Amino acid sequence: MPTSKQLRDKLIDKLKELFQLDQPDLDFGFYRLMHAKSEEVTEFLEKTLPATIGEAFGGVAESRRAELQAAYEQAVATAKKYGAPEPEKSEAALEAKAALDAASGNVNDEMEVYDHLYRFFERYYDRGDFISNRIFTRETAGKALQYAIPYAGEEVKLHWANADQYYIKTTENFNEFSFDMTQAIEFAKMDANTRILNNIPDHPVTVTFKLVDAAEGDHGNIKASDNKKRAFFLASDTPVLFTDKGLEAHFEYRLETEEDAIDASQEADLKSRFGAKNKGDMRPLAIAAVILDTVATKAKALRDAQEDATATEGLSTLLNWPVPTENISKRPLIVKYLNKYTAKNTSDYFIHKNLEAFLRRELDFYIKNEIMQLDNIESADAPKVESYLGKIKVFRRIAGQLISFLAQLEIFQKKLWLKKKFVVQADYCITLDRVPSEFYPEVFANEAQKNEWRKLGFPEELLVPPVKGEKKEGELIATDENVWTASAYLMVDTRFFTQEFKEQLLESIPDLDAQCDGLIIHSENFQALRLLQERYREQVKCIYIDPPYNTGSDGFLYKDQYQHSSWVCMMYERLSMLHMLLSQDGILLSSIADQELEKLRFIFDSIFERKNLLANFIWNNEGNIDNQSKVKCNHEYILGYCKNEIQ
């Protein structure tokens, strides 16, 4: 049976995962805040939390219980020594037994609170996200289901695991991954003397993983075959670089080539060197081997040249620090960070819209369902009910403090996500007939612009400034002093010109906003829709979308066990914003296939209402070949909904 200390340590380890205290010392935004707050959180988890629970149960610890057990045994032994007929019932023994029973009850209640805290928070956590994990039990006569789902009396309710959350990642998101090796959790817990004995540097040692090239993958609903799946590889040119800031490892995200393949001999060497078991671990181990060998070679070269190799040797110690796992018994610390880097770029994540309200609602439901068991309350005696209430008071108070801590971090992430993003670049495409003639010399002298016209198929004779004179056959009618030739259809793209030219051109065009009859935005779709909300609210007459069909292999980066929930979460939020853009007589059309047709209809019904369904259009295609040996599916769908019911 686990002890109170073991249960407490188990809970603290889980809460450290929830608070993400094992994150590396990244040099940007949220992670910098997390590091600053980590000391406060650690202090709460390791000192304040146990002290609060201990105080709630009278401050009786297991060591005190052992003392009381020894006192009771001593009282019984003393009574026997003096010939008491029933030594266990002597006055001293009875007093000692009463104190021991009270302490035992407190210890058991304390252990139960630790266990309940662990079980409650565990069910809502999955790799950094708060998601209602599936619990494989069923409702019984004496026990309700595990979750409380808010219900307002709707005829039909659509619910999913991460409802009320923002789906954040919708595509690859490649950033630099920079961290201070000396701040890794393995070293942060060492005291000063231990760090010195293990040659841990007393100054920052920065390692940066940088993506220098990424191959473009398949688009839309095209299935990526096994030989088209991309992965991380060290860059062919300068894979490892030593800079003034530290070590840089350069990566490419691309298809595997013959040179990248790990043959049987290399696999055997990697398994022997790192104590690895699984073939799937070979790629990060091969990358780690190159990095470690490069650092070792650098250190040796410095020593051979009789130069100071202290810094490089310190880096080598950090990178090689053992962090074994069940499958990699000699795993070095660098592999742990490599796995973090690749996972960071290839899995989605979520932010809860109102985490505190959600967890507090679920907390009350958990108390009624798991602790009080209201179905049995009528048959419980007074001491049992009193025990229930005592545990509930402590459990609810401690859980409430933890929820408040977690909510603070989630609110910060939410504010970052909802903060209006900067427009990093804005350009205009303007037909030449709207450009004043004084800009022509610079426009037609710009070779980048002329090359773009050539790519679009315009002949050379059009790539000259329009001339003044009388109208010729086939030319456009002049609207001012200029006589326009067919070159009036040329499109001037301001991205090829200086900022000064762009500003002057835009200032010269009257009522520019009214003349802009088209808008293209290259952005993450959620942020793009937020940008459009105020300017285009209820102004769009027709919207067509082609979302990922969520076939399981179309590049949609869901968590494995939340394939459909991730997709619904992503679609619901974005369709809600699209609904606000539609004019009162507007319509929205969405392509979809069989995989998510019924869920998409539920989403549309929730946002647009079922009465606004126009039609479920079926259109034939050539048929996919995913399962052609079984059934060839040669149709897809286009769901059409209007903003308001068409009379």
Side-chain angles (χ1 to χ4, degrees):
M1 183 177 178
T3 64
S4 178
K5 182 179 184 305
Q6 289 173 329
L7 289 173
R8 182 177 68 241
D9 292 344
K10 181 182 176 183
L11 169 65
I12 290 174
D13 288 342
K14 173 56 65 177
L15 293 174
K16 286 181 176 180
E17 285 185 83
L18 291 173
F19 286 110
Q20 301 178 51
L21 296 184
D22 59 346
Q23 293 289 351
D25 187 19
L26 300 182
D27 56 359
F28 59 88
F30 174 70
Y31 297 97
R32 189 175 292 172
L33 176 76
M34 287 294 297
H35 243 345
K37 200 171 182 62
S38 63
E39 291 186 8
E40 179 185 353
V41 175
T42 302
E43 174 81 12
F44 172 78
L45 294 179
E46 296 184 350
K47 296 182 179 179
T48 306
L49 175 62
T52 303
I53 295 179
E55 179 183 353
F57 290 110
V60 181
E62 288 188 12
S63 58
R64 175 59 176 160
R65 182 178 179 278
E67 293 176 3
L68 293 172
Q69 177 69 34
Y72 169 69
E73 293 173 354
Q74 179 62 42
V76 172
T78 301
K80 285 183 179 179
K81 179 179 179 181
Y82 288 100
E86 294 182 283
E88 293 83 359
K89 294 183 178 181
S90 65
E91 183 177 351
L94 288 174
E95 290 179 359
K97 184 66 166 60
L100 176 60
D101 289 343
S104 298
N106 283 341
V107 170
N108 290 335
D109 286 346
E110 181 179 352
M111 292 170 63
E112 193 170 344
V113 167
Y114 281 131
D115 186 51
H116 277 302
L117 286 169
Y118 179 88
R119 287 166 52 196
F120 174 72
F121 286 105
E122 180 189 37
R123 62 173 57 188
Y124 303 105
Y125 174 77
D126 181 83
R127 289 178 286 173
D129 294 323
F130 283 89
I131 298 175
S132 299
N133 288 308
R134 187 173 182 185
I135 300 175
F136 292 93
T137 58
R138 62 182 181 179
E139 185 173 14
T140 64
K143 189 173 182 180
L145 289 173
Q146 285 69 33
Y147 297 108
I149 299 177
Y151 179 65
E154 301 92 336
E155 182 182 359
V156 178
K157 171 83 173 179
L158 173 65
H159 193 76
W160 56 98
N162 40 25
D164 297 326
Q165 290 178 293
Y166 293 111
Y167 177 83
I168 305 304
K169 190 169 183 183
T170 55
T171 185
E172 291 99 342
N173 181 25
F174 300 116
N175 293 316
E176 289 187 14
F177 185 77
S178 184
F179 50 93
D180 178 2
M181 291 290 295
T182 64
Q183 295 302 312
I185 191 171
E186 289 77 11
F187 310 125
K189 60 187 179 183
M190 293 181 180
D191 58 38
N193 291 331
T194 305
R195 292 171 71 97
I196 293 172
L197 291 173
N198 286 283
N199 297 317
I200 306 302
D202 59 358
H203 55 82
V205 178
T206 303
V207 174
T208 301
F209 296 157
K210 180 181 292 187
L211 190 77
V212 296
D213 190 25
E216 190 173 15
D218 291 328
H219 295 283
N221 304 314
I222 301 173
K223 178 181 177 179
S225 58
D226 290 339
N227 62 351
K228 289 189 177 181
K229 291 182 179 178
R230 294 166 294 159
F232 286 91
F233 300 93
L234 282 174
S236 52
D237 297 331
T238 319
V240 181
L241 182 67
F242 294 90
T243 70
D244 294 339
K245 295 181 179 180
L247 176 76
E248 284 188 4
H250 293 172
F251 288 87
E252 298 170 349
Y253 187 66
R254 53 173 173 77
L255 300 176
E256 183 176 8
T257 65
E258 292 183 3
E259 291 76 14
D260 299 317
I262 299 174
D263 59 33
S265 175
Q266 291 173 307
E267 182 177 333
D269 289 343
L270 291 170
K271 287 183 175 180
S272 174
R273 177 174 180 175
F274 297 107
K277 299 178 181 179
N278 299 330
K279 189 178 184 68
D281 293 322
M282 293 302 105
R283 177 57 54 200
L285 293 178
I287 294 173
V290 173
I291 296 173
L292 295 173
D293 292 344
T294 302
V295 174
T297 301
K298 170 80 170 177
K300 183 178 184 303
L302 291 173
R303 289 194 300 270
D304 292 345
Q306 297 184 346
E307 297 181 21
D308 185 9
T310 304
T312 307
E313 290 172 344
L315 173 62
S316 181
T317 298
L318 297 172
L319 296 174
N320 280 286
W321 192 264
V323 282
T325 66
E326 183 178 349
N327 294 322
I328 310 176
S329 60
K330 293 183 283 186
R331 185 182 71 155
L333 184 59
I334 184 63
V335 174
K336 175 181 175 180
Y337 283 110
L338 284 169
N339 289 334
K340 282 179 176 290
Y341 177 59
T342 55
K344 171 177 174 286
N345 286 302
T346 55
S347 63
D348 56 17
Y349 61 99
F350 305 87
I351 295 175
H352 207 287
K353 297 176 183 177
N354 192 345
L355 180 64
E356 183 162 15
F358 167 76
L359 284 180
R360 288 192 181 277
R361 182 184 71 241
E362 290 292 318
L363 177 67
D364 289 342
F365 181 79
Y366 180 92
I367 290 172
K368 296 172 186 175
N369 191 31
E370 302 288 338
I371 302 178
M372 282 294 288
Q373 298 181 11
L374 297 179
D375 288 339
N376 299 328
I377 198 71
E378 292 182 1
S379 59
D381 53 21
K384 188 69 172 178
V385 173
E386 187 176 349
S387 175
Y388 279 157
L389 294 177
K391 285 183 289 188
I392 288 171
K393 286 180 181 178
V394 177
F395 172 73
R396 200 169 189 274
R397 187 171 71 201
I398 301 302
Q401 293 181 25
L402 292 172
I403 289 171
S404 296
F405 257 97
L406 290 166
Q408 290 176 28
L409 303 180
E410 199 79 356
I411 289 170
F412 177 77
Q413 292 190 79
K414 175 184 171 182
K415 287 181 177 179
L416 285 180
W417 175 242
L418 295 180
K419 180 180 173 62
K420 290 290 182 66
K421 303 302 184 286
F422 291 110
V423 177
V424 297
Q425 183 176 347
D427 286 294
Y428 291 78
C429 290
I430 306 171
T431 53
L432 198 62
D433 59 338
R434 290 180 169 87
V435 177
S437 58
E438 61 264 26
F439 292 96
Y440 288 177
E442 188 168 351
V443 169
F444 285 90
N446 189 307
E447 283 300 317
Q449 177 65 86
K450 294 174 74 171
N451 287 334
E452 182 72 10
W453 289 335
R454 292 184 182 105
K455 290 179 183 179
L456 295 173
F458 288 98
E460 286 294 327
E461 57 265 25
L462 293 183
L463 307 188
V464 294
V467 295
K468 295 181 180 180
E470 298 299 326
K471 177 181 178 296
K472 299 177 183 179
E473 185 179 354
E475 294 179 341
L476 299 177
I477 298 175
T479 57
D480 56 21
E481 63 176 353
N482 296 311
V483 177
W484 301 100
T485 66
S487 58
Y489 294 106
L490 293 175
M491 188 76 74
V492 177
D493 189 341
T494 61
R495 70 186 171 120
F496 297 120
F497 298 86
T498 65
Q499 184 66 28
E500 181 182 2
F501 174 88
K502 183 194 304 186
E503 291 173 358
Q504 292 175 354
L505 174 59
L506 297 178
E507 287 177 3
S508 70
I509 300 175
D511 201 5
L512 177 66
D513 191 52
Q515 294 197 51
C516 290
D517 54 2
L519 178 66
I520 298 176
I521 298 179
H522 181 70
S523 167
E524 195 281 333
N525 47 42
F526 181 88
Q527 300 299 337
L529 290 170
R530 279 178 55 79
L531 180 67
L532 296 174
Q533 283 301 303
E534 296 306 319
R535 171 63 179 83
Y536 293 98
R537 185 181 294 271
E538 295 191 350
Q539 294 187 40
V540 182
K541 292 186 176 181
C542 182
I543 298 173
Y544 169 75
I545 62 173
D546 186 13
Y549 285 2
N550 204 18
T551 61
S553 56
D554 55 9
F556 193 75
L557 304 173
Y558 50 79
K559 291 176 182 290
D560 292 342
Q561 63 268 51
Y562 300 108
Q563 175 179 351
H564 302 290
S565 181
S566 297
W567 189 88
V568 171
C569 185
M570 186 271 294
M571 291 297 297
Y572 188 90
E573 198 64 42
R574 286 144 181 84
L575 282 171
S576 296
M577 289 192 286
L578 287 172
H579 181 265
M580 290 188 283
L581 294 179
L582 278 178
S583 61
Q584 292 301 312
D585 58 349
I587 63 171
L588 193 153
L589 304 167
S590 174
S591 290
I592 198 63
D594 286 312
Q595 286 84 357
E596 298 292 2
L597 173 63
E598 73 280 2
K599 294 184 182 63
L600 185 61
R601 285 202 59 169
F602 265 116
I603 298 171
F604 267 114
D605 289 345
S606 299
I607 299 170
F608 286 76
E609 298 185 19
R610 174 63 65 91
K611 65 181 181 180
N612 290 320
L613 170 66
L614 290 176
N616 180 13
F617 302 98
I618 300 175
W619 60 280
N620 294 330
N621 56 26
E622 295 180 359
N624 67 63
I625 57 174
D626 292 355
N627 59 349
Q628 190 159 315
S629 62
K630 299 177 182 177
V631 175
K632 182 172 182 177
C633 184
N634 68 343
H635 66 274
E636 294 179 3
Y637 309 91
I638 298 179
L639 280 176
Y641 278 74
C642 59
K643 180 71 171 282
N644 286 311
E645 186 176 8
I646 297 177
Q647 301 298 327

